Amino acid sequence: MLLLNYDFYDIYAVLISFRNDPSNTFNEKIAKTIKALLESPQVDNLIESNIIRRSIAEIENLDIELLAWIKTNNIYTYGQKVIKEETAYHILSAGFAELLVCLKDENYKRFEDLADALHNVPIILSESPRNCLKRIKIEISTYRKEWNNSFLKDIIR
């Protein structure tokens, strides 16, 4: 299944909520849900609208004020763009994997810093996934210096 640019905007909104409430008990379930979507095969032509928000909304007992927008499915009539570039999915999947490591270690400061470093990445990827690695490297540079020097180095050199 392929994601739309609007799904990447939803990922942006999730990262903002992570940054604003890093110790929320639902962050792990949300991160795992998004990571699974990013890692699902992106090889067919199945394109569904609102896949990110619909998947998050299915999390049992979810009650997060910052994510109230997930209850409204958008009807897109203009500007839909299918994200086909595999690198975009790899970058975000690796980012969510790192977020899950932070949560496993209960290092909420690191989680918050990573969410801050990543929040613009889905927007950048939705605009131009082929020509954006330098911009992403700048976005994550502070996180690399502070927490993990090798973060995304296998994808972004």
Side-chain angles (χ1 to χ4, degrees), residues 13 25 41 45 48 67 102-103 108 114-116 118-120 130 141-142 150 155-157:
T25 57
N45 290 325
E48 297 180 38
L67 296 177
C102 299
L103 289 173
Y108 300 115
L114 179 56
D116 186 48
L118 288 174
H119 79 279
N120 286 322
R130 294 179 190 200
S141 64
T142 301
S150 64
I155 302 170
I156 302 170
R157 301 197 192 298

Side-chain angles (χ1 to χ4, degrees), residues 14-153:
V14 166
L15 291 166
I16 294 293
S17 75
F18 285 173
R19 184 180 69 181
N20 289 332
D21 191 3
S23 60
N24 190 294
T25 57
F26 287 100
N27 287 346
E28 182 178 8
K29 288 181 182 180
I30 294 167
K32 284 181 177 179
T33 297
I34 293 174
K35 185 175 180 293
L37 287 169
L38 292 166
E39 291 178 351
S40 66
Q42 312 295 333
V43 293
D44 59 25
N45 290 325
L46 179 62
I47 300 167
E48 297 180 38
S49 295
N50 300 295
I51 190 70
I52 296 293
R53 61 181 62 205
R54 285 189 294 115
S55 297
I56 295 169
E58 291 174 3
I59 296 173
E60 196 170 315
N61 299 319
L62 183 68
D63 183 26
I64 297 181
E65 187 176 317
L66 288 171
L67 296 177
W69 52 268
I70 66 170
K71 297 176 183 174
T72 304
N73 282 331
N74 289 317
I75 300 172
Y76 306 113
T77 58
Y78 177 78
Q80 280 188 353
K81 186 169 114 178
V82 178
I83 308 297
K84 296 181 180 178
E85 185 65 40
E86 286 184 35
T87 303
Y89 294 93
H90 293 306
I91 289 169
L92 289 175
S93 176
F96 275 84
E98 183 90 354
L99 286 164
L100 288 167
V101 167
C102 299
L103 289 173
K104 181 181 177 192
D105 294 343
E106 296 182 4
N107 190 336
Y108 300 115
K109 175 61 176 148
R110 180 178 174 188
F111 180 83
E112 180 182 357
D113 287 351
L114 179 56
D116 186 48
L118 288 174
H119 79 279
N120 286 322
V121 172
I123 303 297
I124 293 167
L125 289 168
S126 69
E127 291 173 355
S128 180
R130 294 179 190 200
N131 302 313
C132 64
L133 298 183
K134 185 175 181 179
R135 286 179 61 197
I136 293 171
K137 190 175 181 179
I138 292 167
E139 291 288 327
I140 64 171
S141 64
T142 301
Y143 177 79
R144 277 183 173 173
K145 287 177 193 171
E146 179 74 21
W147 297 102
N148 182 354
N149 190 42
S150 64
F151 178 61
L152 290 179
K153 283 204 173 171

